[in-house]
Amino acid sequence: MATGPDNVRLWNADGLPGRAIEGHDGEVRTVRWSPDGRWLAFAGTTGVVRLWEADGTPGPVLDAHTGEILLLGWSSDAEHLLSCSLADSTIRNWDVNHGGVEWIIVTLPDRNTVTFNESVLPLNGEPDLVENHFLYLVEQVSGAMRI
């Protein structure tokens, strides 16, 4: 597998180039296969995660980060995908089957964290952290949450 400015190219086991998966705006920075081999997830400079089925069928587009995504990680059952963006200081846990965010970890400037559910209600973290920091969460027309 190799990435280009706006695509991911799969390589065959014999070393010959396979098909290119296109449709990603911006540079691809991270690519991960799901543990069950069903999904290929990739993300990069646009803050969008794109999922493709192994046969090349487009899957959900996960759009909520406000900047570059550097890391992706799958749960062992391939039901959830984590995406990490330093640009918006968040880690998001996606429900792959429904395409929605289950929870968001927000890293605050003092290196503390607060976790919010999909309704943006605090799940954990010290109550004074929520009260002492200004967090502006704005829902975009697309449904994406911006901090």
Side-chain angles (χ1 to χ4, degrees), residues 67-88:
E68 181 175 0
I69 297 170
L70 297 176
L71 297 170
L72 294 172
W74 286 96
S75 63
S76 60
D77 63 6
E79 302 266 328
H80 297 90
L81 179 69
L82 292 178
S83 57
C84 176
S85 172
L86 296 178
D88 65 10

Side-chain angles (χ1 to χ4, degrees), residues 117-131:
N117 68 10
E118 73 280 358
S119 299
V120 197
L121 298 172
L123 291 175
N124 70 13
E126 297 296 322
D128 63 325
L129 290 176
V130 177
E131 294 173 10

Side-chain angles (χ1 to χ4, degrees), residues 101-104 116-122 137 145:
V101 173
E102 286 197 346
W103 48 258
I104 305 164
F116 296 92
N117 68 10
E118 73 280 358
S119 299
V120 197
L121 298 172
L137 299 165
M145 299 299 288

Side-chain angles (χ1 to χ4, degrees), residues 18-130:
R19 74 175 179 278
I21 298 175
E22 299 182 11
H24 191 80
D25 297 327
E27 293 182 30
V28 175
R29 298 279 195 218
T30 181
V31 179
R32 293 287 182 272
W33 279 104
S34 63
D36 62 3
R38 177 180 176 197
W39 296 107
L40 177 64
F42 56 95
T45 58
T46 62
V48 175
V49 179
R50 295 198 180 270
L51 297 176
W52 293 81
E53 293 196 40
D55 66 3
T57 304
V61 176
L62 311 175
D63 183 6
H65 286 286
T66 60
E68 181 175 0
I69 297 170
L70 297 176
L71 297 170
L72 294 172
W74 286 96
S75 63
S76 60
D77 63 6
E79 302 266 328
H80 297 90
L81 179 69
L82 292 178
S83 57
C84 176
S85 172
L86 296 178
D88 65 10
S89 301
T90 66
I91 299 170
R92 296 172 191 265
N93 179 35
W94 299 91
D95 178 333
V96 175
N97 295 318
H98 298 100
V101 173
E102 286 197 346
W103 48 258
I104 305 164
I105 297 176
V106 178
T107 304
L108 302 172
D110 58 6
R111 297 184 186 248
N112 284 302
T113 62
V114 178
T115 304
F116 296 92
N117 68 10
E118 73 280 358
S119 299
V120 197
L121 298 172
L123 291 175
N124 70 13
E126 297 296 322
D128 63 325
L129 290 176
V130 177

